[in-house]
């Protein structure tokens, strides 16, 4: 099928209240028409996600902000102009168009304009907003290919638009602009430094416990357990931790930037990622899935250093390493 026909079909499914998995530049989303409450509720059922966890509404362009937000502060205009379409989500006071099903009963809504051409085409042809969380089962790692979506959600999705591998590979950066000071709710695909440069001020930590599943300690987890180690030039900590776990009979996967030296234990597998943080981010989730598929039961990981995407990668690895409940 030509891409144009696929987009038309996706839009038709969405207009009928169906669920469409679609590529964004960050990760694949599981989308429903944001103004169709029944369709939005199906998203929660499909993912096994608690109803109180709010969804991001994806918009065709920044001009749609005024329909979905009750008030568009000046900071939002500046960030939207600088970074949309792109991997930035803004939390603003919601308009009456946004239902409690989308926001989990909160008076704010998370909004973003995705950059992937297929997501853009669907949004423009639909002419509205799409509520879409990442297209994975609740708590699992986000999908970065159409195949990942099918493995995770299969029959729960009415249509999957295949847009290849996601360019960014980790979720969007979320900034809350609904309070007095701009707050960072989740580091992600857009470096915090770039946001602070445009705003001319630092982002603060979130004021209170907002209901954000991406902020749960044990979110973004592969099946295998994950042990995070400090990175040293000789890979000493990686090698020693891997050897200790292998001696306990565990099947060990080592995950590190490619320039790190590591001595693998017997039966250990190494999964080396690009050294630059952006490259590491792009391949991270697909690699975590590969490790699960290879039957490893524990991952010893050394995160990449540095600012930019390195912050998001370290955040996701820390959460994957947190105790599971
Ligand atoms: O890159 C992304 O952001 C991807 C793609 C598909 O756009 N989406 C994504 O959605 O990661 P999800 O549902 O997996 O994560 C959305 C995050 C959650 O942590 C949620 O709690 C937070 O956004 N969020 C949504 N609405 C919010 C609100 N009103 N206030 C605070 N946080 C909110
Ligand atoms: Mg998610």
């Amino acid at each position: 099928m030509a891409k144009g026909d696929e987009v038309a079909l996706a839009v038709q499914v969405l207009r009928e209240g169906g669920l469409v998995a679609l590529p964004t530049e960050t990760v694949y989303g599981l989308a429903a028409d944001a103004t169709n409450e029944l369709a939005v509720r199906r998203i929660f059922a499909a993912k096994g996600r608690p109803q109180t966890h709010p969804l991001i509404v994806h918009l065709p362009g920044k001009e749609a902000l005024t329909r979905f937000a009750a008030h568009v502060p000046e900071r939002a205009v500046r960030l939207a102009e600088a970074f949309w379409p792109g991997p930035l989500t803004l939390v603003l006071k919601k308009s009456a168009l946004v239902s409690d099903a989308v926001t989990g009963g909160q008076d704010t809504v998370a909004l973003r304009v995705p950059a992937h051409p297929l997501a853009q085409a669907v949004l423009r042809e639909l002419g509205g907003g799409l509520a879409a969380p990442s297209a994975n089962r609740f708590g699992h790692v986000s999908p970065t290919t159409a195949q990942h979506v099918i493995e995770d959600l299969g029959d729960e999705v009415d249509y999957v638009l295949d847009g290849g591998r996601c360019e960014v590979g980790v979720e969007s950066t979320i900034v809350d602009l609904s309070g007095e000071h701009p707050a960072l709710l989740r580091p992600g695909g857009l470096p915090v430094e770039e946001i602070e440069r445009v705003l001319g001020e630092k982002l603060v930590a979130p004021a209170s416990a907002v209901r954000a599943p991406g902020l749960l300690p044990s979110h973004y987890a592969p099946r295998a357990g994950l042990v995070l180690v400090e990175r040293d030039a000789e890979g000493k900590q990686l090698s020693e931790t891997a050897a200790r776990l292998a001696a306990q009979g565990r099947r060990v996967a080592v995950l590190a930037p490619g320039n790190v030296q590591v001595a693998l234990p017997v039966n250990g597998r190494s999964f080396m990622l690009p050294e630059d943080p952006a490259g590491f981010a792009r391949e991270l989730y697909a690699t975590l899935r590969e490790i699960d598929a290879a039957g490893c039961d524990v991952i010893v990981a050394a995160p990449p250093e540095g600012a930019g995407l390195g912050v998001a990668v370290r955040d996701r690895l820390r959460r994957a390493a947190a105790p599971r409940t």
Side-chain angles (χ1 to χ4, degrees), residues 13-83:
V13 170
L14 290 163
R15 289 212 171 105
E16 288 166 0
L19 300 186
V20 171
L22 87 183
T24 82
E25 75 280 33
T26 58
V27 301
Y28 275 72
L30 180 63
D33 176 350
T35 57
N36 181 335
E37 210 173 314
L38 269 180
V40 170
R41 293 199 185 281
R42 280 191 60 206
I43 292 177
F44 291 89
K47 283 196 56 147
R49 173 166 167 139
Q51 301 261 352
T52 50
H53 288 179
L55 305 176
I56 296 174
V57 177
H58 298 70
L59 305 175
K62 57 178 186 291
E63 62 290 341
L65 259 179
T66 48
R67 285 172 54 211
F68 290 85
H71 166 66
V72 182
E74 196 255 343
R75 286 181 181 117
V77 176
R78 289 217 318 260
L79 292 179
E81 269 169 10
F83 300 118

Side-chain angles (χ1 to χ4, degrees), residues 27 47 49 133-143 171 186 213-214 219-220:
V27 301
K47 283 196 56 147
R49 173 166 167 139
S134 51
N136 51 281
R137 290 212 170 273
F138 182 65
H140 198 197
V141 289
S142 294
E171 302 80 357
R186 177 177 74 183
H219 220 63
Y220 309 107

Side-chain angles (χ1 to χ4, degrees), residues 116-292:
H116 194 289
L118 280 182
Q120 282 270 323
V122 170
L123 283 161
R124 272 199 305 270
E125 197 163 322
L126 184 76
L130 285 176
S134 51
N136 51 281
R137 290 212 170 273
F138 182 65
H140 198 197
V141 289
S142 294
T144 53
T145 67
Q147 190 54 40
H148 295 163
V149 176
I150 293 163
E151 284 162 18
D152 255 33
L153 297 175
D155 295 344
E156 312 280 346
V157 189
D158 298 310
Y159 190 63
V160 180
L161 255 183
D162 190 344
R165 188 180 72 155
C166 299
E167 269 298 300
V168 177
V170 291
E171 302 80 357
S172 62
T173 303
I174 308 181
V175 174
D176 185 354
L177 295 177
S178 69
E180 192 184 343
H181 299 292
L184 177 67
L185 299 189
R186 177 177 74 183
L190 182 67
V192 170
E193 310 84 86
E194 291 193 34
I195 297 167
E196 292 178 336
R197 181 174 48 74
V198 166
L199 288 179
E201 64 191 312
K202 291 275 179 205
L203 298 180
V204 301
S208 62
V210 258
R211 278 193 303 241
L215 304 178
L216 292 178
S218 66
H219 220 63
Y220 309 107
R223 188 179 39 73
L226 193 143
V227 179
L228 208 49
V229 300
E230 287 289 316
R231 181 178 161 179
D232 49 63
E234 303 86 44
K236 206 162 156 275
Q237 289 215 39
L238 266 179
S239 305
E240 284 176 8
T241 309
R244 182 168 48 75
L245 290 164
Q248 295 167 9
R250 314 282 296 273
R251 273 178 296 178
V252 179
V254 170
L255 178 72
N259 56 342
V260 172
Q261 302 283 323
V262 56
L264 273 184
V266 191
N267 296 330
R269 299 262 319 254
S270 86
F271 295 83
M272 292 310 191
L273 296 188
E275 288 150 40
D276 65 302
F280 197 108
R282 190 178 309 121
E283 294 182 19
L284 176 62
Y285 289 158
T287 306
L288 292 176
R289 285 172 185 264
E290 241 182 86
I291 291 172
D292 278 349

